[in-house]
């Protein structure tokens, strides 16, 4: 791991970035990341992409499965 990445992790280890009331900029960061990934996958030409962050890979896999199910039903 690069030294600057380790330093960044050490400096922010005591922060609860999930609490968007204490860290409102986290919601904006999440929105931007979701849009970047959506645009990489050509989800939409412009505007906001629908998505969310997760706290673990199991949650992400289940949400991905639900999104696929929803997409197949609505197609």
């Amino acid at each position: 791991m690069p030294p600057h990445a380790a330093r960044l992790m050490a400096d922010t280890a005591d922060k609860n970035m999930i609490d968007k009331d204490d860290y409102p900029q986290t919601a904006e960061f999440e929105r931007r990341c979701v849009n970047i990934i959506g645009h990489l996958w050509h989800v939409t030409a412009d505007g906001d992409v629908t998505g969310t962050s997760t706290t673990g890979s199991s949650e992400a896999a289940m949400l991905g499965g639900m999104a696929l199910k929803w997409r197949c039903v609505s197609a």
Side-chain angles (χ1 to χ4, degrees), residues 61-74:
M62 286 186 263
L63 286 173
M66 291 301 295
L68 181 60
K69 181 178 178 179
W70 181 78
R71 181 181 175 126
C72 291
V73 169
S74 66

Side-chain angles (χ1 to χ4, degrees), residues 3-57:
H4 65 277
R7 194 169 46 252
L8 178 62
M9 287 176 58
D11 290 346
T12 59
D14 63 338
K15 308 283 190 278
N16 181 1
M17 299 305 249
I18 302 303
D19 189 349
K20 293 178 183 154
D21 290 330
D22 285 342
Y23 301 99
Q25 66 274 21
T26 304
E28 174 60 17
F29 182 71
E30 176 183 309
R31 187 193 67 76
R32 290 173 58 193
C33 288
V34 166
N35 279 309
I36 289 169
I37 293 169
H39 293 310
L40 284 173
W41 290 346
H42 306 289
V43 172
T44 182
D46 48 336
D48 277 349
V49 175
T50 301
T52 187
S53 62
T54 63
T55 57
S57 59

